[in-house]
Amino acid sequence: MGPLCFLMLINDALADISHHWKYVDDSTVGSTVDNTAPDYSPLQATLDKLQAWTTDNHVTINNTKTVIMHFCISKKDVPAPNVTINTQPFQVVKSTKLLGITIDDQLDWKQHVTNTVRAASYRLYVM
């Protein structure tokens, strides 16, 4: 019953946000930004809604596991988002693991392949 009750609790989190993905206890929010005039206020508004939901439902966000990744394929230097939740700024990372896949800010597979080969080599060595 525990997992079912948890899913019922978080099912309405971010329900009115179009670019969100949830898997068990992880949530991912996406926002598109125009590189010529970056405006991160829609992303901040989404995070404010999420903060209000967590307050209403007596849930806390683990700030140590919550990060921002800024994908930018523009040759122009676009500043990374400076958004907060509960007045705490997020750490901007170059890569992160999402459902077992390592994603980097250049949408390159090198780091994921390196991690996978390293894990396979270790397992082969153990065998």
Side-chain angles (χ1 to χ4, degrees), residues 20-81:
H20 77 281
W21 303 270
K22 292 187 285 185
Y23 184 77
V24 187
D25 65 341
D26 287 338
S27 295
T28 303
V29 177
S31 178
T32 57
V33 176
D34 182 7
N35 288 341
T36 57
D39 177 22
Y40 299 112
S41 59
L43 178 58
Q44 184 63 58
T46 298
L47 295 174
D48 292 343
K49 285 181 185 178
L50 180 61
Q51 177 59 40
W53 181 89
T54 60
T55 302
D56 293 345
N57 290 281
H58 308 289
V59 177
T60 57
I61 295 175
N62 186 345
N63 290 330
T64 61
K65 294 172 72 178
T66 306
V67 295
I68 293 277
M69 183 177 296
H70 182 226
F71 298 101
C72 183
I73 56 173
S74 172
K75 300 224 186 288
K76 179 183 168 188
D77 190 27
V78 179

Side-chain angles (χ1 to χ4, degrees), residues 5-13 22 24-25 27 53 59:
C5 290
F6 177 76
L7 290 175
M8 288 173 19
L9 172 71
I10 68 160
N11 195 39
D12 64 335
K22 292 187 285 185
V24 187
D25 65 341
S27 295
W53 181 89
V59 177

